[in-house]
């Protein structure tokens, strides 16, 4: 169970990451594909709701739903620093989005009808950034398989006394 502080860091990481991906889609995409990738409009069309409701869905997903998925699926199962695990999570979100969600929303497989490869790569940049930010703010160190003990704790029988210097 995560503490309240950890949960707050998770939500803040999700919010900051969502602000980043939103900025990329609305302000970065026009320089690359000539128009913004309107996430709220896509979600509104997908769910049959207003543009404002699409914005709310986008921010709720990015701030609460995806960070919960990060904790449940990736955070402790991958090795490496938190930003790497977050980046891998962002890549997985992007892959799922482009291969499954975008076709259902009418934008085609890997955004074929929404700007093609450039739109898909812009989305990749945004989602990698989202994941890296989430990992940096909310991530915890990965389990490394090493035994960590306080100096005052007695050595357990299964712990080796000495490591061989030549072993890799």
């Amino acid at each position: 169970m995560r503490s309240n502080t950890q949960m707050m860091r998770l939500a803040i990481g999700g919010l900051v990451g969502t602000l980043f991906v939103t900025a990329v889609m609305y302000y970065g995409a026009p320089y690359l594909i000539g128009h913004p990738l309107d996430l709220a409009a896509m979600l509104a069309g997908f769910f049959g709701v207003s543009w404002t409701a699409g914005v709310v869905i986008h921010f709720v997903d990015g701030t609460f739903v995806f960070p919960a998925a990060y904790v449940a699926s990736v955070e402790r199962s991958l090795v490496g620093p938190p930003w790497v695990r977050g980046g891998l999570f962002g890549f997985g979100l992007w892959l799922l989005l482009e291969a499954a969600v975008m076709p259902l929303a009418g934008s085609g497989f890997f955004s074929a009808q929404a700007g093609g490869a450039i739109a898909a790569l812009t989305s990749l940049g945004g989602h990698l950034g989202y994941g890296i930010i989430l990992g940096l703010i909310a991530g915890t160190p990965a389990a490394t398989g090493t035994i960590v003990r306080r100096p005052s704790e007695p050595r357990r029988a299964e712990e080796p006394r000495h490591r061989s210097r030549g072993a890799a």
Side-chain angles (χ1 to χ4, degrees):
M1 182 101 180
R2 294 178 72 98
S3 71
N4 287 341
T5 302
Q6 291 169 323
M7 296 298 283
M8 184 61 74
R9 286 180 44 208
L10 199 60
I12 290 169
L15 177 62
V16 173
T18 301
L19 290 170
F20 174 81
V21 76
T22 303
V24 168
M25 298 305 172
Y26 284 99
Y27 301 108
Y31 292 103
L32 299 171
I33 61 173
H35 60 84
L37 293 171
D38 193 348
L39 301 168
M42 185 203 64
L43 289 167
F46 186 74
F47 290 108
V49 296
S50 69
W51 184 86
T52 303
V55 170
V56 171
I57 292 168
H58 170 62
F59 275 91
V60 167
D61 283 349
T63 304
F64 302 109
V65 176
F66 296 149
Y70 170 74
V71 167
S73 65
V74 173
E75 186 184 37
R76 292 283 185 185
S77 62
L78 295 175
V79 295
W83 70 269
V84 170
R85 293 190 316 259
L88 290 170
F89 179 72
F91 178 78
L93 278 179
W94 171 79
L95 195 60
L96 179 65
L97 172 82
E98 293 294 339
V101 177
M102 294 303 275
L104 291 173
S107 295
F109 189 67
F110 283 84
S111 300
Q113 280 80 44
I118 299 296
L121 290 173
T122 302
S123 177
L124 173 60
H127 285 87
L128 283 175
Y130 171 85
I132 290 169
I133 290 167
L134 178 63
L136 284 172
I137 294 174
T140 57
T144 60
T146 59
I147 299 170
V148 178
R149 65 177 173 79
R150 293 185 188 102
S152 62
E153 291 178 6
R155 187 177 303 278
R156 295 185 305 214
E158 67 270 10
E159 282 186 64
R161 285 212 175 264
H162 299 90
R163 283 193 163 172
S164 171
R165 295 220 185 255

